[in-house]
Amino acid sequence: MTAAPVLTRPTDAAAVTRQSRPRTHSTTRGQGRSGWLFLAPFGVFYIAFLLGPTVWMIVTSFFNTSTVRTGLGSFAGFANYAEMLGRADFWSSLWHTLQFTLYTTPPLVILAFVFAVLTNRMNRGQWFFRLAFFLPFILPSATISLIWVFIFTPSTGLFASVQSLLGLTPGAGVLASPNTAMIGVALATVWWTLGFNFVLYLAGLQEIPRELYEAAAVDGASNWQQIKSITLPLLGRTTTLVILLQIIASLKIFDQVYLMTNGGPGISTQVSLQLITGIGFTDNRLGAASAASVLLFIVIVAIAVIRQLVERAAAKREIGA
């Protein structure tokens, strides 16, 4: 005899189905909660040390806030902005900042790309060049400044020794002349920060398949043709990132100038952040310093936006061609 099948009531079957059905909504909610918990420490630091001070800077720029008085002080409106825009030293410091950016951005992009291409073509010893280029970048700015102040020291520095070996008469010193002081700071910065862009380019180069170069070599393409037709187009996004980061970093120059020249000789190398620091902590005028900071922030954002618009326009022309 065959056992009769056991009939399950519809209600029991529905209950089993509900129990076996995955709880997608609760799982998603739990994952979202975990994600917010992981982001919470960064969010606290972001609000406390970046977003909060930025908002406070904008607010205090409309008041006569001072370091010797508590509170915001009296309302100034746009008087702090008008004062900054009317000061000659504000415009000269802004020009020195742009001058430093023009001195450093092209070599830091071009040299990093060239050295990364040469290193990427080596089959052995890449680790040594990565270390050699990136090692100065991890040194503090004070160390870099001391090294290059020693190099540029008149009569006894390394630069003066090289001039003597070449039969040239050492001058007063690179950092002692208003015409060459900013160039000296730019040279120190290029040597110091070249490794960061070098690593970015090297990482991008290693993502390009070797088969593309091998196929181009079989077709008779020279090394320059391979770089022009393969490397440069495929590193377009990396180049855009490197240029944008370098422009922003150069516009925020402070450490090297403060430690190597302190804005001198005279005010020939005084940059915007040094002027802002002097107004805020030497003159004790936080409101005016905040207004100058907002103006510098507007300049940085404007240059970054213009750079992006030019890049997009060039990309559209290439697509249209």
Side-chain angles (χ1 to χ4, degrees):
M1 294 178 63
T2 306
V6 179
L7 298 177
T8 306
R9 291 181 299 174
T11 55
D12 295 340
V16 173
T17 303
R18 284 196 299 269
Q19 292 177 0
S20 61
R21 188 177 299 166
R23 299 180 180 180
T24 55
H25 182 68
S26 60
T27 303
T28 305
R29 183 183 298 178
Q31 291 176 350
R33 213 172 275 165
S34 300
W36 282 110
L37 287 175
F38 278 111
L39 287 174
F42 171 77
V44 170
F45 280 96
Y46 182 81
I47 294 173
F49 296 103
L50 183 63
L51 188 60
T54 301
V55 174
W56 181 253
M57 174 189 70
I58 296 173
V59 172
T60 55
S61 66
F62 295 100
F63 291 84
N64 291 317
T65 309
S66 174
T67 57
V68 298
R69 296 191 306 267
T70 59
L72 289 173
S74 60
F75 182 72
F78 289 96
N80 290 327
Y81 291 94
E83 178 188 350
M84 290 299 108
L85 293 175
R87 289 180 58 158
D89 56 352
F90 172 79
W91 291 106
S92 65
S93 65
L94 184 60
W95 162 243
H96 296 152
T97 305
L98 296 175
Q99 183 183 15
F100 175 82
T101 303
L102 293 174
Y103 285 166
T104 56
T105 300
L108 279 171
V109 175
I110 297 173
L111 291 177
F113 173 78
V114 171
F115 289 136
V117 169
L118 294 175
T119 303
N120 190 55
R121 290 180 175 271
M122 299 183 63
N123 296 324
R124 295 181 180 180
Q126 285 193 14
W127 66 270
F128 172 78
F129 291 98
R130 289 182 184 179
L131 179 64
F133 281 108
F134 196 74
L135 186 60
F137 184 73
I138 65 176
L139 296 177
S141 57
T143 303
I144 300 299
S145 300
L146 286 174
I147 291 173
W148 282 89
V149 166
F150 167 74
I151 291 174
F152 291 137
T153 300
S155 303
T156 59
L158 181 61
F159 184 70
S161 300
V162 173
Q163 286 181 307
S164 300
L165 289 175
L166 296 177
L168 303 175
T169 302
V174 174
L175 301 179
S177 173
N179 297 323
T180 58
M182 187 61 78
I183 297 176
V185 176
L187 286 174
T189 304
V190 169
W191 180 81
W192 178 30
T193 60
L194 181 66
F196 181 76
N197 295 341
F198 167 80
V199 170
L200 290 179
Y201 270 124
L202 191 60
L205 285 168
Q206 293 179 349
E207 293 295 323
I208 300 176
R210 290 280 184 180
E211 292 78 8
L212 295 177
Y213 294 105
E214 293 173 0
V218 170
D219 291 337
S222 62
N223 290 333
W224 167 244
Q225 290 173 334
Q226 293 177 25
I227 293 174
K228 181 180 178 181
S229 302
I230 299 175
T231 307
L232 288 176
L234 293 180
L235 285 181
R237 291 182 179 273
T238 303
T239 301
T240 300
L241 175 65
V242 168
I243 293 176
L244 188 60
L245 291 177
Q246 190 56 57
I247 289 175
I248 294 175
S250 297
L251 290 172
K252 297 189 298 180
I253 172 66
F254 174 75
D255 297 14
Q256 306 93 291
V257 170
Y258 182 78
L259 293 170
M260 293 179 67
T261 65
N262 197 21
I267 59 170
S268 60
T269 59
Q270 186 184 54
V271 292
S272 295
L273 284 182
Q274 187 177 5
L275 175 69
I276 292 169
T277 303
I279 295 173
F281 299 103
T282 302
D283 300 339
N284 299 318
R285 301 182 59 203
L286 289 182
S290 298
S293 300
V294 172
L295 293 173
L296 177 62
F297 175 74
I298 293 172
V299 170
I300 293 175
V301 172
I303 292 176
V305 170
I306 292 172
R307 172 70 186 85
Q308 291 297 99
L309 293 176
V310 171
E311 183 72 21
R312 290 183 181 180
K316 288 181 179 179
R317 284 198 300 266
E318 291 180 0
I319 294 174

